[in-house]
Amino acid sequence: MVTAPEHASGFALIARGATADSDFGEARAELRQAEADRGLNLSADAGAGVRKVSSESRTSSHTLGLDGSIPLDVSGALADRERAAGLNLVARQADAAQLRSDLARDLLLAAIDGAEALQRRALLDRQTQLAAQLLRLIELRFTQGLASSVDVL
């Protein structure tokens, strides 16, 4: 039979399930960032300017820049970070699967407990009916003078 602490843990599981989506989002973002850190990095910059020194002379300048870099992972730190982020995502997926399993188990246990309570109630009702019928029989035997001392007690 499910007790109050087990119901409380069921509510905790539901609350934990509500935050699972944000946990997945964080883990996916960490993995994407780790993958991006190992990739090619390009940046472009452009600029233009005009400078007037006097009414007759005017100078203009134009700049254009392109910068690119490829990280060298000599120590393996970037690969380790990407691997850790991937494993973190897998762990969160396993946690979610375990959470689904725990919720299904709690639901089944609650259904079993409900069926058990209904059967127990029916059994107790039947026992009450039988006890009342037995009492009526004893009273009838007593009124007819056929009851023994064991029946009266």
Side-chain angles (χ1 to χ4, degrees), residues 16 24 88 90-102:
R16 209 173 85 208
F24 274 134
N88 184 29
V90 169
R92 298 226 179 143
Q93 289 170 338
D95 286 346
Q98 181 64 45
L99 177 63
R100 285 190 299 273
S101 174
D102 290 348

Side-chain angles (χ1 to χ4, degrees), residues 11-135:
F11 294 133
L13 288 175
I14 292 170
R16 209 173 85 208
T19 61
D21 276 344
S22 65
D23 290 346
F24 274 134
E26 290 173 13
R28 283 188 201 108
E30 289 172 9
L31 180 59
R32 282 193 302 266
Q33 182 61 48
E35 289 170 345
D37 288 345
R38 288 190 64 191
L40 178 64
N41 184 12
L42 289 175
S43 62
D45 185 26
V50 175
R51 186 172 154 213
K52 193 172 187 180
V53 177
S54 66
S55 61
E56 295 173 6
S57 71
R58 190 169 81 153
T59 59
S60 63
S61 64
H62 303 283
T63 60
L64 178 64
L66 180 63
D67 184 26
S69 63
I70 299 175
L72 297 176
D73 194 10
V74 178
S75 66
L78 293 175
D80 289 345
R81 183 170 168 234
E82 183 178 356
R83 195 170 20 262
L87 292 174
N88 184 29
L89 180 59
V90 169
R92 298 226 179 143
Q93 289 170 338
D95 286 346
Q98 181 64 45
L99 177 63
R100 285 190 299 273
S101 174
D102 290 348
L103 286 171
R105 179 205 62 218
D106 286 353
L107 178 65
L108 288 174
L109 286 175
I112 290 169
D113 286 344
E116 178 187 7
L118 289 174
Q119 289 178 352
R120 195 174 280 185
R121 169 77 187 261
L123 180 63
L124 289 173
D125 287 345
R126 182 69 181 134
Q127 284 179 336
T128 303
Q129 290 171 357
L130 288 174
Q133 185 178 9
L134 182 61
L135 180 61

